[in-house]
Amino acid sequence: MTSRFFSIAWQILLLWLVFRCGTYLVALLHLALPGNVAGMLLMFALLASGVVKPARIEAGGGFLLKHFAFFFIPISVGLMAFGGLMRESGLALLGILVLSAAVGVVVTGVSVQFLHARSSR
Amino acid sequence: MNALHFAGLIALTLGAYLVTRRIFLAYKYPLLNPVFLSTLVIIAALKAGGYTLADYQPAKEAMTFLLGPATVALALPLYHNRAVLRNHALPVLIGVIAGSLATMAAALMAGRLLGLGKGVLISLGPKSVTVPIAVEISRLAGGEPTLTAAFVVATGMIGSILGPFALSLSRVKNPVARGLALGTVSHGQGTAVALLEGETAGAMGGVAMAIAALLTALIAPYYLPLFLP
């Protein structure tokens, strides 16, 4: 139990280091990417090249991914500040966001499913 | 803000998450999205207790500290699903590009039809990409970064609730297609829902998020003006 706790904590520290490297690289190279996405690509390169074995980050990474949704709760609470705007033109904005999200989801979903089926043959 | 308040706000958030996660896992119904339900409960509790968003800020900082390493961890499902990328690189790329262009066009055209001002329209443009990039795109294009951040978070919520419905209605069952669609439109929040659907969908959410972010940052300066008055 305790050894599992420590391996999770240690692995999260490792992931955090890769995240910091990603942030640093983005700043250094002036990339149009956020540091966390750059870190994800860097981590993928480390795994794909065999430098880091997946088992080295599986416990910590698995824990964070299992609770990935959690991190968006405190962020979403920030919507509280936009009560005024929502009262004024909330309905129009909501309509736009709903419509455009539906369009995007369906366009990507349908096109990938169609092309994926064709390239699988 | 004392330590007791700080701990209380974290306990409130954690408690809301753990309960709503249970509810979601029991019923697996998109409207019971744990982020959506928890946010409603927390905002209601903050308002009832006379707290402002500023009071919540230190707790938020502490709780989102691990979002960076969590996003890095998306490399794991991506690695396990690398065969999908190798064998279907073109469908993946085409799908994410088409969805990104379509959602931006739909938002701006609808906004223009409803008579929104230029500043609001520009702020709507990058709503489907992750906050740090969206804010930067908006600022460079002459939008309002705080407004964009709100649109991004709202889109994350809307897409992760409505997305699974829309996909099922249009008979999209393939987990690769579902994950890509959710990640393209609703960035990290869509990816979180995709992860709840399964590992392959989750991996594709991460991929879509990265491609959509890069693409939108590159083309927004040329693409958005096409739809402006």
Side-chain angles (χ1 to χ4, degrees):
Chain A
M1 184 63 203
T2 41
S3 77
R4 177 162 169 80
F5 174 79
F6 281 114
S7 74
I8 287 181
W10 164 246
Q11 294 183 4
I12 289 178
L13 183 68
L14 214 75
L15 291 164
W16 184 78
L17 281 175
V18 175
F19 162 60
R20 294 306 305 171
C21 287
T23 310
Y24 177 73
L25 271 178
V26 164
L28 192 74
L29 304 173
H30 302 286
L31 297 177
L33 267 183
N36 56 1
V37 173
M40 175 183 88
L41 297 174
L42 181 63
M43 188 75 242
F44 180 72
L46 290 172
L47 290 168
S49 62
V51 175
V52 175
K53 292 265 170 292
R56 305 281 304 177
I57 56 166
E58 207 92 53
F63 176 79
L64 291 177
L65 292 179
K66 187 175 160 195
H67 298 293
F68 198 61
F70 169 75
F71 302 109
F72 296 96
I73 296 171
I75 293 174
S76 300
V77 171
L79 288 177
M80 194 176 152
F82 288 89
L85 180 75
M86 286 314 269
R87 268 189 294 278
E88 262 171 50
S89 44
L91 213 58
L93 290 174
L94 188 70
I96 292 166
L97 293 178
V98 166
L99 171 87
S100 59
V103 167
V105 162
V106 170
V107 165
T108 301
V110 169
S111 62
V112 173
Q113 181 160 275
F114 175 73
L115 295 169
H116 186 272
R118 288 186 49 151
S119 70
S120 293
R121 270 199 310 237
Chain B
M1 173 70 12
N2 60 39
L4 200 66
H5 279 161
F6 177 75
L9 293 174
I10 289 184
L12 168 70
T13 310
L14 268 176
Y17 168 68
L18 290 174
V19 172
T20 55
R21 178 183 143 85
R22 273 279 164 93
I23 297 174
F24 178 80
L25 290 179
Y27 298 97
K28 296 250 179 180
Y29 191 65
L31 257 181
L32 296 175
N33 180 295
V35 178
F36 177 58
L37 291 184
S38 297
T39 304
L40 285 183
V41 169
I42 294 165
I43 291 181
L46 291 176
K47 293 231 161 173
Y51 289 93
T52 63
L53 193 58
D55 298 326
Y56 188 73
Q57 199 60 25
K60 178 202 155 185
E61 299 288 335
M63 285 184 286
T64 49
F65 175 72
L66 288 177
L67 181 57
T71 310
V72 171
L74 282 170
L76 263 177
L78 182 56
Y79 176 75
H80 294 315
N81 287 276
R82 61 195 182 286
V84 175
L85 286 187
R86 203 168 38 227
N87 300 335
H88 306 284
L90 210 58
V92 167
L93 210 59
I94 292 174
V96 176
I97 292 175
S100 297
L101 295 178
T103 194
M104 275 191 273
L108 271 77
M109 287 196 288
R112 210 175 148 178
L113 225 66
L114 291 171
L116 296 183
K118 199 174 164 186
V120 181
L121 285 176
I122 296 173
S123 310
L124 266 173
K127 71 185 172 63
S128 276
V129 300
T130 176
V131 171
I133 295 203
V135 165
E136 197 55 19
I137 294 172
S138 173
R139 196 182 58 79
L140 290 174
E144 177 67 58
T146 35
L147 198 53
T148 296
F151 289 148
V152 171
V153 174
T155 294
M157 193 97 90
I158 290 167
S160 53
I161 295 170
L162 195 99
F165 276 125
L167 287 169
S168 299
L169 265 180
S170 40
R171 292 168 207 274
V172 177
K173 296 195 185 96
N174 181 324
V176 173
R178 291 181 72 95
L180 287 172
L182 291 168
T184 299
V185 171
S186 287
H187 46 92
Q189 253 166 295
T191 304
V193 174
L195 275 166
L196 291 169
E197 289 197 356
E199 205 210 36
T200 304
M204 293 303 127
V207 171
M209 202 174 124
I211 300 175
L214 254 177
L215 172 84
T216 308
L218 289 175
I219 63 150
Y222 314 101
Y223 189 64
L224 295 184
L226 300 179
F227 302 95
L228 294 176

